[in-house]
Amino acid sequence: MTDLKSMTLEEMTILAKELGEPAFRGKQIFHWLHRGVTDFEDMSDLSKSFREKLKNTCAFTPPQVERKQISAHDGTIKYLWRLSDGNCVETVLMRYRHGNTVCISSQVGCRMGCAFCASTIGGKVRNLTPAEMLDQVLFTQLDSGAEISNIVLMGIGEPLDNMDNVLRFLELVNSPHGLNIGMRHISLSTCGLVEQIDRLAQLKLQLTLSVSLHAPDDETRSKIMPVNRSVGVEKLFDCCRRYFNTTGRRISYEYAMIDNVNDHDWQADLLVSHLKGTPGHVNLIPLNEVEESPLRPSRRTRAFQERLERQGVTATVRRKLGGDIDASCGQLRRKRMEEEEL
Ligand code: SAH
């Protein structure tokens, strides 16, 4: 069966022609799918015989809401979706003054092994298809009634470890015939896979690249992020400079503040020296405690921020949303897995 919803408009046009229909039928199918129809029968402007032909060759299976939690504090909604093969992934809807942002997953699980992250505990199960990423945006919008203006690829998974599907998802969600979300409203977060970042740079997309740094020195970073053991901080920053020089887009560095691990003054100073000469923005994140991990949140976030700012590096502290509903990545899926194991 062809994965119909992962197809681009152009591919659907070709498919329509192959099935003996005029090209514009491709656009009709694309419209229906990107409006969230869940059944071929609802594609009312296609002939019955064409719908039959499609049904026999193609499939699309929308995710089911397995669980939904709404924060009483700030209206953040967290969805746990059950995919067609029974796996679950999470999506979070955050409401900001500047618009509604959806945080989506790119893989079932993750193989990067970061010490502070709940998503990686059971390893990677599989990549998500472009359609499964698109559906998280589409069905979050349809279910919540909140119009989505921004997307962040910061949920479960490493997007650049599933790069082809992620690029195709970006093309789909960016389409004027679909959700039409502009690249400048999309952020992609990576643990720092340098070859893939170089490849992304060549595409010169207008999205925002976030690099999960979390430590400016190899000893600390290799301890908490195994990916650092093969590349190292120096090479990562070289790559970030190349990215900026090629795309002209400023990189945002994610830095989860961990007590007595990465929150020392010397680490702030080292971070400043890495960023010399290339504009970048540092996003300090209060660590979300993960039950399975001994790491604790830092109490030095403000001092660290001030030390960066005093030396000319812009740094913001991320506001915590959805603290009452386990809104940080991977936690809800972990809970569901534990329940299933019981
Ligand atoms: N794999 C990608 C995107 C997913 S994680 C990446 O590594 O960037 C999204 C962000 O949340 C990353 O910056 C990640 O390091 C961070 N993160 C993961 N677990 C966290 C925790 N317990 N507390 C705070 N931030 C966390």
Side-chain angles (χ1 to χ4, degrees):
M1 284 285 187
T2 305
D3 173 8
L4 185 64
K5 206 167 181 174
S6 289
M7 287 177 133
T8 62
L9 175 58
E10 206 180 8
E11 288 165 342
M12 285 187 198
T13 304
I14 295 168
L15 176 81
K17 283 195 275 190
E18 279 170 3
L19 294 174
E21 296 280 331
F24 71 87
R25 297 275 179 231
K27 200 185 262 180
Q28 287 175 324
I29 302 171
F30 193 88
H31 274 169
W32 285 119
L33 290 175
H34 288 245
R35 248 185 280 157
V37 299
T38 52
D39 196 317
F40 284 110
E41 295 309 316
D42 298 333
M43 302 184 178
S44 54
D45 52 6
L46 306 184
S47 69
K48 199 164 168 41
S49 63
F50 184 39
R51 290 199 305 253
E52 279 306 312
K53 267 191 232 166
L54 283 174
K55 234 189 275 181
N56 292 333
T57 49
C58 309
F60 67 100
T61 337
Q64 303 295 321
V65 178
E66 174 75 15
R67 195 167 288 189
K68 177 177 166 182
Q69 296 181 332
I70 305 175
S71 164
H73 302 165
D74 50 42
T76 298
I77 305 181
K78 181 153 190 168
Y79 290 94
L80 185 71
W81 305 103
R82 188 167 284 275
L83 307 173
S84 54
D85 66 349
N87 277 304
C88 289
V89 289
E90 295 169 32
T91 304
V92 183
L93 169 70
M94 294 163 288
R95 298 160 196 271
Y96 294 107
R97 260 174 312 226
H98 60 266
N100 297 315
T101 297
V102 72
C103 174
I104 67 159
S105 298
S106 56
Q107 296 178 317
V108 180
C110 183
R111 62 189 182 114
M112 296 299 141
C114 300
F116 43 81
C117 182
S119 301
T120 200
I121 292 170
K124 174 182 135 179
V125 179
R126 68 170 174 88
N127 286 329
L128 292 188
T129 65
E132 286 169 332
M133 290 182 256
L134 175 67
D135 277 345
Q136 293 176 61
V137 185
L138 200 52
F139 289 106
T140 296
Q141 176 161 287
L142 289 172
D143 183 86
S144 66
E147 195 179 330
I148 309 289
S149 46
N150 300 284
I151 299 173
V152 296
L153 281 142
M154 290 191 184
I156 298 172
E158 167 50 49
L160 296 187
D161 187 37
N162 182 19
M163 191 162 177
D164 291 336
N165 286 351
V166 164
L167 291 177
R168 185 176 268 266
F169 156 72
L170 293 174
E171 187 179 340
L172 294 179
V173 88
N174 188 226
S175 167
H177 300 284
L179 287 175
N180 196 18
I181 295 178
M183 284 292 172
R184 284 178 181 266
H185 295 268
I186 300 177
S187 293
L188 186 153
S189 182
T190 176
C191 63
L193 303 179
V194 294
E195 278 168 30
Q196 286 88 330
I197 294 175
D198 280 333
R199 189 180 149 207
L200 188 67
Q202 294 310 318
L203 301 173
K204 297 196 171 68
L205 301 177
Q206 293 296 296
L207 52 74
T208 300
L209 182 67
S210 291
V211 171
S212 298
L213 183 67
H214 303 312
D217 59 291
D218 280 327
E219 199 188 330
T220 312
R221 194 164 191 268
S222 292
K223 243 183 241 163
I224 56 176
M225 300 182 71
V227 66
N228 195 70
R229 290 171 203 161
S230 52
V231 173
V233 170
E234 223 36 86
K235 287 213 171 97
L236 176 58
F237 276 104
D238 286 345
C239 173
C240 291
R241 275 186 283 275
R242 284 195 298 278
Y243 186 89
F244 176 76
N245 292 335
T246 309
T247 64
R249 303 284 296 164
R250 211 177 261 249
I251 291 179
S252 165
Y253 297 91
E254 310 289 298
Y255 200 105
M257 295 294 294
I258 310 173
D259 182 44
N260 209 23
V261 172
N262 63 2
D263 60 350
H264 302 288
D265 284 346
W266 66 267
Q267 286 165 318
D269 297 347
L270 185 56
L271 178 50
V272 171
S273 70
H274 285 309
L275 292 173
K276 280 256 152 65
T278 320
H281 171 269
V282 178
N283 209 331
L284 301 173
I285 313 170
L287 182 78
N288 273 302
E289 286 191 75
V290 172
E291 259 170 41
E292 292 89 338
S293 155
L295 303 172
R296 295 291 159 249
S298 169
R299 286 153 293 183
R300 300 201 67 247
T301 303
R302 288 288 163 205
F304 199 88
Q305 179 193 21
E306 279 162 20
R307 201 170 175 97
L308 293 177
E309 294 251 316
R310 244 184 289 138
Q311 299 179 78
V313 168
T314 52
T316 45
V317 178
R318 186 181 289 169
R319 196 156 60 93
K320 231 177 153 164
L321 291 177
D324 54 333
I325 55 164
D326 298 319
S328 49
C329 20
Q331 295 186 358
L332 196 58
R333 175 170 168 265
R334 286 290 311 156
K335 269 198 184 159
R336 188 83 192 91
M337 284 163 75
E338 279 163 19
E339 284 165 10
E340 282 174 0
E341 279 161 17
L342 287 178

